[in-house]
Every structure is written in structure tokens, then in C-alpha cells.
Amino acid sequence: PELSREEKLQLRKEKKQQKKKKRSEKGPAAEPPELGTPSDLGQPRVAAHPTSLPALADGPNDGEKPAGGKSKAELRAERRAKQEAERAQKQAKKAELSQAATTAKPRLTPTEPQSVVKRLPEHVQVDDPAAQRKLAKKLERQQVPLRQDYGTKVNLFSHLHQYSRKKPLTQQMSIPSMVIHPAVVRLGLQYSQGIINGSNARCIALLEVFKQLIRDYSTPPNEELSRDLVAKLKPHISFLNQCRPLSASMGNAIKFLKKEISCLPDTLREEEAKEKLQDAIDKYLREKILLAAEAISRSAFEKINDNDVILVYGCSSLVNRTLCDAHVKKGRAFRVIVVDSRPRLEGRETLRRLVRKGIHCTYVMINAISYVLPEVSKVLLGAHALLANGSVMSRVGTSQIALVSKAYNVPVLVCCETYKFCERVQTDSFVSNELDDPDDLIVLRKGQAQLGGWAENKSLRLLNLVYDVTPPDLVDLVITDLGMIPCTSVPVVLRVKNVDQ
Amino acid sequence: GGSRMTDLTSSIPKPLLPVGNRPLLWYPLNLLERAGFEEVIVITRKEIQKMLNLDTKMKLDFVCISDNMDMGTADSLRHIHQKIKTDVLVLSCDLITDVDLYKVVDLFRTHDATLSMLMKKTHEPTEVVPGQKGKKKPVEQRDFIGVDDTGKRLLFMANEADLDEELVIKRSILQKHPRMHIRTGLMDAHLYCLKKYVVDFLVENRTITSLRSELIPHLVRKQFSSPPSLQQGLDNKEEDQKKKEQASLDIYSFIKEDNSLLKPAPDNSCWNDHRGDMNETLYEGKVRCYVHIMKEGLCYRVNTLGLYIEANRQVPKLLLNLGLEEPLVHGSAQITDRGMIGSDSIIGSSTQVGEKTSIKHSIIGSMCTIKDKVKITNCIIMNSVTIEEGCCLQGSVICHNAVIEKGADIKDCLIGSDQRLETKGK
């Protein structure tokens, strides 16, 4: 039976009294800012990590602990444990009534017993020294070098990493790499130098390298392949993360792989297990990436009419493929306006690929979009990831284009495979982003680099953002391999995917 | 080795020549050790292995070749090709450098290159070289090296000896890389990162004897030639067979496809190494050669007497930079007047230096005996040398076991080993 209203009030009063008591005897013990209220359980998550629920063992007997002379942390722990205990009681009672989905969640024993906070990933906590120390320790344990940040960051983004391309991670490693497989070192170098760019390319390269890793792996004696292989993969993933922060597509692929490995039956021999894993990776590649691209190309083709003027931005492998297929295979007559932006100038690559196939293209910079939009009939964009609230995370500049297109009433279509759908929620581009090398912004004109000495100028900071988030109301349609869905249906797709797996 | 320094190397084999009181071979091995290598294959003559006494943490695998075989560098690689299972780093024993090896290897890895090498900008040496009379020949055999705009990709390499009067550059190179910088002041450090299939190619193709003068230019040229097209028809079987044999000696047949970097991702990745034309990235060339050009730092190849002396002069700085803890003046050396010894002189163990002896900018080996009132400036003195009183030595090289009698005044000379100079000689 649920707690009646009076009982609830009583409970709350008790809690308040205890809090007051504790505070008065300890003095100014600041309430930790991250304490979540009990009602937060059902809300969508901020980070992709699971919440750390406390162990039930810290039961009702903490009222007997002696007061005074304790450290702040202990008192905090007590308070939280008490809250957790009460919450757990409430939950247990609720669970008897209804089969709530929350109890089906696995109860993880936390590493820090007092944290109620949803744990943020390390890469958005660069200005928190405790988090950085934890990361350093973890990397040291895995024998992966730590990459140093470079240059002063803009204050608003000081919680993100900023690396320099001239200081690769291999500087701190021995040349014949023993700890990290050489193929992974090569991949990491190619990521950090920008040779492999674009979320599909990165994911495909990652899966190929994982296949090679599995090929070269041999189970040590007295170990299980399913557990040991996952442990062996972790340092490699940390290394790649240090070279360049993992993309959402790569993250999903890694999750898939880890799940595959841990689901391997124990009865398989090592050879069979390795083959099974490689087949699974091939299947994932084929289905989720290659066939999905084919499906999206076909769906999008229905939306391209004769005498259309299509605006594209940057270089998206999906969009390029769609347009090339529509022109070459199906023979539609349309022309394309390619919008480009500094410093990456990826639009030039798109231009090259489209012109090669014979498509009529115009090339403008992003500051000219309001001049070309009156003649555009639709906008086709690629995405790096689709977030759980329907926002589109893509190359910086995409949200600008969506915004201006909305003002001109031009429909905006986003092409994205379902494997890039992410369970994160972001409403702005500040929280989780990537800062690229600020030296890329330095341009040489007639032998002079105007920004060349930016590091010496104390009041000058350079910002080179990589991604931005487009709110869902600016996007009209998302074309996925499951069909054409509105932006608001993304959480439905995610739910369906989770149930499937 | 050491064919250009016969005066010095007649008594000592080149890898053991002392530079800064350490055998020459120590320097490249130290470079590899600092980079983190743990196993090294050393190809040398048998006697050298016996005489070598190095303290390194690495596992040295000595492969001995007998003295009478006249082996070029490529032959040596062929000799050990069974031991080579992956990509290999080759360097010669006379390289003294403090380069960051990771830069060369990074080029190799990032671009999945066939070859990656190291070069250094040089300037003309101005010091007088002892033992050589007459003016130095101003024009030696120059190397013409062509690099692209970024300075990393190697486009062209030719030696002056191979060219008659003109420098010929293929049009295909200029079409793909319209801006090319040709330099002559670069010294090749003979440090190469090679892919495994190059070694396989060497094994099959026995006409190549030297790495530097034949294989490397061949690879550089191959970057811009297209792979041999398939044979046409089966009209003439014999002709076909001959063609096949020739084709199999072409390096393209050795390149395996599975590890190719851009195979699944060329359509996806937005990276392109050039702009302004319609071609795919890297022009789909399978052979790629890269070079890392050092601008600062030390890099010497000790293959002439002048370079040997120059290297000896720079070695104290190098050893300091490496952070070696041994003091420049060895502990067991008995020196009476510390003050007269210059700060960048190296003195070996068990050396006795008499009173009022001034030693500046010099390197003195171990077990030497230097008596009183000797002035030594800018000299290289090897082990077990005896120098009697009142001598004055300037800019000279004195080899092992020499004896210099009293009052000799030596300037810019090269004294071989076991020589004996008379009193008051000049």
C-alpha cells in the first residue's frame, strides 16, 4: 500500500529536522550542489552513463552513528544514504503495485558510495581537477599516454579538451608499440591528423581495425575470451579517445561489439569465437552502414524532383551518395548549391565529387546563404548524430543553415542512419562539443599570418568548434533506413531499437 | 665500410671508431633505445662483434657476414630477410643524431607510406681537415632532392653523377604536384622506414645491390608510374610467360591489398591531399615516399674525416642533451690541474694528465699518458697514446698507441696508430 499523504508529510518533516541538526552541529557544511531530488529518477538522462544507485545495505540503521568529529564526506554520505534508504523503500512499495520499468534497471553498486549525481563523462569535465586526476590514473593503469591540452581556451568552453595537431600522442610512446596494437596506433594517428574524417569513415575504419585486433588476439591461459577480450579492448579505446574524441557512431559501434563479445557462449573454441565475432562485425557494417546508405539513397530519391535546386553543406558521405545516385542511376535533372565554411573547407571535396559525376554545382561560402536561398527548393543535410530529443548534431554551421532556411520557408531534410541515433539529450552546443586545433584558423595571406602570434596575446583566444546542435523544430524531415520520420519520432526509434536488442 | 676514410680505418673498423670516447656504433643504438626499441638486428663482420662491448638494455641480434664477401647494403637486407616479418627500420652504423624518431615513423604510419626517410639541411664545412693537403674540392657529388609543397612528400631524387647535363622531370610528376622544391643542400641520414613488401621485392629482384643509390631512387620513380596493365590475350604463350616474369619483378605485385588504408573509406573521408583538380585523393597512387627534413638539431654521418672531426666536436653537446650522467671527465682520470681543462673536453678513464697541461675542446681517450706542459687544442686523441713533455698539438687526430716525443709541435695532422714521432718533430 502506498504511503498515505500524512505519512509522506511526516517523513519529510523528519528529514528536515535531521538535516537541521546535522548542519547546526557541523557548522557551514555546504550542501553539495549535485544532490538530486528524489523525483529526478524518471527524467531523461543528461549523460549516457547509468545512474549509480546506492546499495541497499546502507539501511535504516544509520541514525545510530555518533555525531561530531566526523569529516564532511562522512556526514554527506550519511545524509545521502538516508535519503536513498527512504527512496528505496518508496520504490519497493511502488514495485509491488506496478511493474515499473525503473526496477528492471540493473542496480549497480557505485564506486563512490555517496554519489547521487548522474555521472558526467570525463571529456566534458576538463576544468574539474578531480575528474582529470581520475582520468590520468586510469590511463596510467592502461599504459596509454595522456595528451596535453594546448593553448588558452575560450571561457565558455574551458570544460572541453583542446589539442594541437603538431603534438601527436605518439611523441610519448615508444615506437614499436607493445601495449597498443600497431594498427590502432596508425588509426589514432590518422584520426588526429584528420586523414580519416567524417563519422561514417571513422566508424568503418574503426570496425576494420577491430577485426584485425580480433584476428591477432589470442586468449591467454586461464582466461575467458568473452571477458578478456573486452578488457584488452579498453586501452585501445582509451588511446583512440585521446587521439580524437570518439564520435557517436563509433560509440554505438563499440557498444555493439562489447555486447557481442560478452554474449559469446563459453562453449565455443577460440577460433570459432573469433570467426563469429568477425562475422558479426561484417554484418553490422553491411547492414547498418552500407545497406542503410542504399536505403536512404532510395528514399531520398523520392523527394528529389526534376528541376530542383538542392542546397548541401560541407561534406557528408550520405548526401553525396544520394545525389550521385539520383543523377547517375535515375537520371533526375537537378542542380546543387554547395555551401562551404572555414577552416575545414570540406565543401570543396563535395564539389569535386559531384562535378565529377556531371552534376551542375554552384559553390558559395556560408555567409552567402541568404542570397542563394530564394532560389533553393530544398536543403539536404547530413548528420553526425541524432539526439534523443530530436536535435541534430552536425558540423558547425548546420544549425545556421537550418535557421535561415526556416526563415525563407525552405524545407530542411536530414539524412541519417539509425546507428547514429544517440541516447543523449542536448539542447545547446556548449555542453558537449569538440574543440579542434586553434592553429587551423591561422591563414597565410601573401606570406603573412595575421593570427600567427595569438598565443602571446593574453586577451586573444581562438575557438575552432567542430559540431553544433540544431533544434528539432527547424528540421522538417529525417530520412533514415527505417523510412522518413519527423524529428520527434527519434525517441520512438530508440525505444524500438532497445526492445529489439 | 669506411672506404672514404682509409687513413683512419686501416687499423680500426669503422663501427668501432671512437667518437667522444664511445664506439661509433653506440650512437645509433642509443637512438633506437631512446625510441623504445627492444630488439635490434646488427649486421656486421665477425671480428667487430667480438671487440664490441656495449651496455644497452636492448637485445642485440648479431648477424655476421664474412669479410671477403663484398656485400652492398641491399645484400645485407636480403641476407636477413627471413627475420623480417613486418615493416622495418634500417639505419647505418655511422649515424649520430638526436632527431625525434617518432616524426619519421609518424609520417610512415599516417600516410601508410612505402618509404619514409630522414634528411638534414647541411652547410658547407669550413674547418680545415687535417691530413688532407690542398684545397678542398668544392663540388662533390651532389644529390638533387625534389619535395612537394608541404615538404613531406618525396617527388624526385637523383645524383649528379647520374645526370649528364640536364635534370629531367617527368611530366606526370608536375601534373600532380605543380609546385616542387628542388634542394641540393640536403644530407641523407640513411635512416629508412620500409614496408615489408619492399624487402620481399628486394629478395626477388637481385639486381639491386645498394639501398641508397638504387632502391630508394627506384621507389621514388615508381610513385608516378602506373602499374603494369594486364597482358593482352593469349596469342603468344612464350611472350606471355616472359612478360609475367618481368611483371612479377615489379613492386606493385608485392603490395598486398588488405591493409590498404583508404580502401573502404575513400568515398567517405573528406580528406584530400591536393585541391583544384578532379582527381581522387593521393591520386590513388599505391607507392608513396615521404621524407622528414630536420632543420635543427644534430645529424651527422661519419663517413669522411672532416665529418668525423666535426662529429667529435659536437658530441659533448649531444651527450649533455641526452642527459647522460657520466661526467665529461672520467672519474679515474688523474688530472693534476683541473683548472686547465676546458669545459667541453672529454677525458677517458685512467688517463694521466701532467701539470701545466692545457686541454681545450679536445677528446682524449682512455689510458693515455700526457706529460707536463703540453698544450692540446681541438684534438682528438684515441686510446693509449703517450704524449711527452712540452708538446703542442693543434687540430690533429692521433690514433691508438701513438707516441709523441718531447717538444713536438703538431698542427693539423693525422697521425696513424702505433706511430712514433721523434723529438722536436713538426
Side-chain angles (χ1 to χ4, degrees):
Chain A
E2 242 196 332
L3 291 173
S4 68
R5 232 173 142 239
E6 294 89 48
E7 288 176 310
K8 273 196 229 170
L9 279 172
Q10 183 68 6
L11 220 64
R12 259 188 234 140
K13 264 197 202 144
E14 274 178 28
K15 265 196 275 181
K16 273 205 192 125
Q17 279 173 358
Q18 280 166 355
K19 263 197 205 162
K20 261 198 209 149
K21 219 174 48 171
K22 293 255 171 63
R23 236 183 243 151
S24 59
E25 45 177 70
K26 257 184 19 161
E31 271 294 286
E34 325 95 315
L35 258 187
T37 58
S39 56
D40 263 355
L41 269 181
Q43 271 179 10
R45 303 192 182 129
V46 172
H49 290 264
T51 53
S52 40
L53 298 171
L56 281 174
D58 259 330
N61 55 355
D62 36 13
E64 302 149 21
K65 285 214 187 111
K70 282 182 287 187
S71 69
K72 244 194 246 177
E74 283 176 53
L75 282 169
R76 230 188 283 164
E78 270 181 56
R79 260 184 273 127
R80 278 196 218 165
K82 200 164 291 180
Q83 276 191 338
E84 293 315 309
E86 272 133 24
R87 202 186 308 170
Q89 277 176 2
K90 249 205 262 178
Q91 262 197 343
K93 284 184 187 148
K94 263 203 210 144
E96 288 172 339
L97 279 182
S98 55
Q99 300 295 321
T102 45
T103 52
K105 268 187 284 191
R107 293 257 169 103
L108 304 162
T109 49
T111 47
E112 316 146 68
Q114 57 263 44
S115 71
V116 178
V117 66
K118 330 251 182 215
R119 238 184 305 155
L120 292 169
E122 173 280 324
H123 69 267
V124 298
Q125 280 188 301
V126 175
D127 53 354
D128 177 12
Q132 290 308 299
R133 265 188 304 231
K134 258 183 68 184
L135 171 74
K137 263 197 230 146
K138 177 176 110 168
L139 288 181
E140 210 179 335
R141 209 173 359 111
Q142 293 174 335
Q143 293 177 295
V144 171
L146 176 66
R147 199 165 180 194
Q148 297 297 330
D149 280 7
Y150 164 73
T152 36
K153 300 180 223 175
V154 172
N155 274 336
L156 215 48
F157 292 96
S158 58
H159 61 285
L160 298 171
H161 281 296
Q162 181 171 290
Y163 299 127
S164 162
R165 204 158 288 149
K166 296 207 190 67
K167 299 208 185 95
L169 204 50
T170 47
Q171 207 171 357
Q172 305 162 33
M173 291 169 58
S174 68
I175 289 187
S177 56
M178 300 295 159
V179 180
I180 312 273
H181 192 278
V184 177
V185 176
R186 195 196 316 167
L187 188 67
L189 262 180
Q190 283 164 357
Y191 281 164
S192 69
Q193 303 293 321
I195 306 248
I196 298 191
N197 231 335
S199 84
N200 271 341
R202 283 164 73 185
C203 192
I204 295 178
L206 180 73
L207 288 174
E208 295 285 334
V209 164
F210 274 164
K211 274 203 319 208
Q212 183 163 5
L213 259 179
I214 294 177
R215 262 200 300 265
D216 295 340
Y217 167 79
S218 55
T219 327
N222 303 332
E223 293 277 356
E224 287 246 3
L225 180 129
S226 50
R227 268 178 287 223
D228 190 56
L229 186 53
V230 176
K232 285 265 163 53
L233 281 180
K234 282 205 182 127
H236 298 281
I237 296 171
S238 303
F239 173 77
L240 290 176
N241 203 0
Q242 286 292 301
C243 287
R244 193 177 161 189
L246 295 178
S247 68
S249 54
M250 289 162 71
N252 286 344
I254 291 175
K255 254 191 246 168
F256 159 77
L257 185 63
K258 282 191 180 164
K259 189 160 169 291
E260 275 297 314
I261 297 177
S262 47
C263 286
L264 278 178
D266 291 338
T267 52
L268 281 184
R269 281 182 309 121
E270 184 180 321
E271 285 309 313
E272 290 174 0
K274 291 208 289 195
E275 259 204 56
K276 189 156 181 280
L277 281 176
Q278 294 193 31
D279 286 341
I281 294 182
D282 276 332
K283 187 163 164 246
Y284 187 84
L285 243 174
R286 208 175 42 241
E287 282 178 17
K288 306 271 175 159
I289 305 182
L290 300 173
L291 285 181
E294 173 78 32
I296 291 177
S297 171
R298 283 198 200 161
S299 319
F301 171 71
E302 295 163 30
K303 292 290 175 189
I304 301 178
N305 307 315
D306 270 331
N307 298 323
D308 249 352
V309 181
I310 304 182
L311 186 112
V312 297
Y313 175 64
C315 184
S316 161
S317 49
L318 257 186
V319 171
N320 289 346
R321 191 202 163 127
T322 309
L323 294 175
C324 292
D325 282 349
H327 180 85
V328 169
K329 289 191 195 153
K330 314 282 175 83
R332 279 268 207 266
F334 57 89
R335 64 187 183 90
V336 175
I337 300 185
V338 179
V339 178
D340 202 5
S341 74
R342 272 194 64 218
R344 286 181 178 230
L345 292 173
E346 289 170 339
R348 295 191 181 188
E349 187 57 25
T350 311
L351 190 64
R352 185 185 67 80
R353 288 192 191 152
L354 295 181
V355 171
R356 244 194 145 170
K357 302 280 177 166
I359 303 177
H360 191 289
C361 291
T362 313
Y363 176 85
V364 292
M365 285 296 205
I366 195 169
N367 48 350
I369 45 175
S370 48
Y371 297 105
V372 289
L373 268 172
E375 57 188 54
V376 171
S377 55
K378 45 181 71 81
V379 175
L380 206 54
L381 299 172
H384 171 258
L386 233 62
L387 306 172
N389 63 342
S391 326
V392 177
M393 183 164 165
S394 184
R395 186 67 80 220
V396 64
T398 317
S399 66
Q400 224 184 331
I401 294 199
L403 188 63
V404 183
S405 308
K406 186 89 179 172
Y408 279 88
N409 273 328
V410 174
V412 174
L413 309 167
V414 169
C415 299
C416 183
E417 299 102 331
T418 47
Y419 87 102
K420 288 184 192 160
F421 283 20
C422 198
E423 286 177 23
R424 269 200 329 238
V425 171
Q426 259 182 268
T427 49
D428 58 51
S429 319
F430 297 96
V431 161
S432 173
N433 207 324
E434 187 185 330
L435 293 177
D436 209 358
D437 190 350
D439 288 337
D440 284 349
L441 293 175
I442 302 177
V443 68
L444 264 154
R445 289 222 170 88
K446 296 185 189 166
Q448 270 196 342
Q450 298 287 3
L451 286 172
W454 72 274
E456 281 94 39
N457 192 338
K458 293 266 186 281
S459 46
L460 180 60
R461 318 262 167 106
L462 294 189
L463 178 65
N464 190 356
L465 276 182
V466 181
Y467 299 118
D468 73 5
V469 171
T470 311
D473 46 346
L474 295 179
V475 175
D476 294 311
L477 191 65
V478 177
I479 308 178
T480 69
D481 41 325
L482 292 177
M484 298 198 239
I485 58 176
C487 250
T488 44
S489 306
V490 170
V492 176
V493 171
L494 276 174
R495 193 182 66 207
V496 166
K497 241 182 11 157
N498 281 341
V499 166
D500 268 348
Q501 289 171 354
Chain B
S3 52
R4 279 193 262 182
M5 275 203 292
T6 42
D7 299 329
L8 270 183
T9 55
S10 49
S11 53
I12 327 166
K14 190 162 115 170
L16 296 178
L17 265 182
V19 177
N21 285 342
R22 288 169 205 267
L24 186 54
L25 196 53
W26 182 85
Y27 290 92
L29 289 178
N30 181 265
L31 176 69
L32 292 175
E33 189 173 349
R34 267 179 299 135
F37 279 93
E38 285 169 19
E39 290 185 14
V40 180
I41 302 176
V42 181
I43 308 176
T44 179
R45 297 204 302 260
K46 219 185 208 102
E47 41 198 62
I48 296 180
Q49 185 192 355
K50 291 191 199 135
M51 291 201 270
L52 214 48
N53 177 17
L54 301 162
D55 54 342
T56 63
K57 299 191 197 75
M58 303 188 291
K59 193 175 97 148
L60 298 177
D61 184 10
F62 282 92
V63 172
C64 300
I65 54 180
S66 57
D67 204 6
N68 42 16
M69 282 209 283
D70 188 19
M71 270 197 163
T73 36
D75 295 319
S76 331
L77 258 190
R78 237 173 256 141
H79 193 70
I80 54 165
H81 85 271
Q82 274 129 1
K83 298 202 185 189
I84 298 181
K85 299 194 178 61
T86 56
D87 307 333
V88 62
L89 176 68
V90 180
L91 37 89
S92 89
C93 68
D94 51 7
L95 177 67
I96 301 182
T97 179
D98 65 349
V99 72
D100 292 316
L101 256 190
Y102 78 87
K103 288 192 185 142
V104 179
V105 180
D106 272 356
L107 272 180
F108 183 69
R109 280 186 182 140
T110 322
H111 302 269
D112 205 27
T114 312
L115 159 75
S116 164
M117 55 193 284
L118 176 68
M119 287 199 164
K120 169 100 168 53
K121 267 178 146 155
T122 53
H123 37 264
E124 291 298 314
T126 47
E127 313 275 340
V128 180
V129 177
Q132 273 186 4
K133 297 193 181 90
K135 263 201 282 188
K136 255 181 63 84
K137 276 188 289 193
V139 174
E140 294 187 359
Q141 296 294 319
R142 283 187 295 186
D143 274 329
F144 291 92
I145 314 278
V147 289
D148 76 338
D149 230 356
T150 62
K152 298 245 179 317
R153 183 94 191 261
L154 195 51
L155 301 175
F156 179 76
M157 178 187 280
N159 192 289
E160 200 174 344
D162 297 330
L163 308 166
D164 288 326
E165 280 171 8
E166 309 157 327
L167 193 72
V168 177
I169 304 181
K170 277 170 83 161
R171 198 199 300 174
S172 53
I173 306 182
L174 283 180
Q175 269 176 346
K176 292 175 186 169
H177 297 268
R179 302 193 82 181
M180 180 158 82
H181 301 262
I182 300 199
R183 315 166 87 146
T184 49
L186 287 179
M187 174 187 75
D188 185 352
H190 279 231
L191 187 146
Y192 309 114
C193 250
L194 296 168
K195 270 227 183 309
K196 171 151 194 320
Y197 58 75
V198 176
V199 181
D200 296 336
F201 168 67
L202 263 186
V203 168
E204 294 295 317
N205 195 341
R206 298 210 157 245
T207 53
I208 295 186
T209 50
S210 159
L211 275 183
R212 170 65 178 85
S213 48
E214 288 175 40
L215 179 65
I216 311 287
H218 177 83
L219 286 177
V220 174
R221 270 197 306 269
K222 268 296 178 198
Q223 284 181 103
F224 299 103
S225 60
S226 44
S229 47
L230 302 164
Q231 281 88 0
Q232 298 126 342
L234 301 159
D235 308 331
N236 201 336
K237 270 199 181 159
E238 277 180 35
E239 229 184 75
D240 257 8
Q241 283 226 338
K242 253 195 240 161
K243 273 194 199 160
K244 259 197 214 158
E245 278 174 32
Q246 279 176 357
S248 65
L249 287 183
D250 187 82
I251 193 161
Y252 283 102
S253 53
F254 288 92
I255 302 178
K256 293 200 185 65
E257 287 286 347
D258 49 6
N259 284 328
S260 165
L261 120 87
L262 293 176
K263 196 174 77 147
D267 289 334
N268 295 318
S269 170
C270 328
W271 182 76
N272 200 325
D273 70 326
H274 61 92
R275 53 165 69 143
D277 67 1
M278 297 292 292
N279 292 312
E280 299 286 341
T281 182
L282 288 177
Y283 297 104
E284 294 179 336
K286 298 224 176 66
V287 178
R288 295 180 280 271
C289 300
Y290 286 85
V291 61
H292 173 69
I293 301 182
M294 268 176 86
K295 300 203 176 71
E296 300 149 343
L298 287 174
C299 182
Y300 292 104
R301 280 206 65 228
V302 181
N303 51 5
T304 62
L305 194 53
L307 285 170
Y308 174 67
I309 294 177
E310 182 69 27
N312 265 302
R313 276 201 203 109
Q314 302 291 334
V315 148
K317 237 190 300 173
L318 173 70
L319 289 177
L320 273 175
N321 285 343
L322 291 182
L324 288 171
E325 282 131 31
E326 283 177 31
L328 290 179
V329 176
H330 202 272
S332 61
Q334 295 161 339
I335 302 176
T336 29
D337 279 329
R338 267 302 147 119
M340 305 281 276
I341 312 251
S343 54
D344 53 353
S345 299
I346 299 183
I347 304 195
S349 58
S350 315
T351 298
Q352 291 173 329
V353 178
E355 289 178 29
K356 297 217 174 124
T357 303
S358 92
I359 303 179
K360 291 201 175 70
H361 304 297
S362 299
I363 299 186
I364 304 186
S366 43
M367 298 199 275
C368 292
T369 314
I370 303 179
K371 300 273 165 67
D372 315 327
K373 298 205 188 107
V374 175
K375 258 207 228 160
I376 303 179
T377 325
N378 268 332
C379 289
I380 301 170
I381 301 178
M382 299 194 195
N383 301 339
S384 309
V385 169
T386 311
I387 303 181
E388 305 284 344
E389 292 135 8
C391 292
C392 175
L393 296 126
Q394 262 186 339
S396 305
V397 177
I398 305 179
C399 299
H400 294 301
N401 295 322
V403 176
I404 317 254
E405 299 279 350
K406 290 188 210 167
D409 186 12
I410 300 176
K411 199 167 174 207
D412 299 330
C413 291
L414 169 63
I415 300 177
S417 29
D418 301 315
Q419 296 282 326
R420 204 184 171 86
L421 239 68
E422 298 137 3
T423 335
K424 301 235 181 209
K426 273 229 166 160

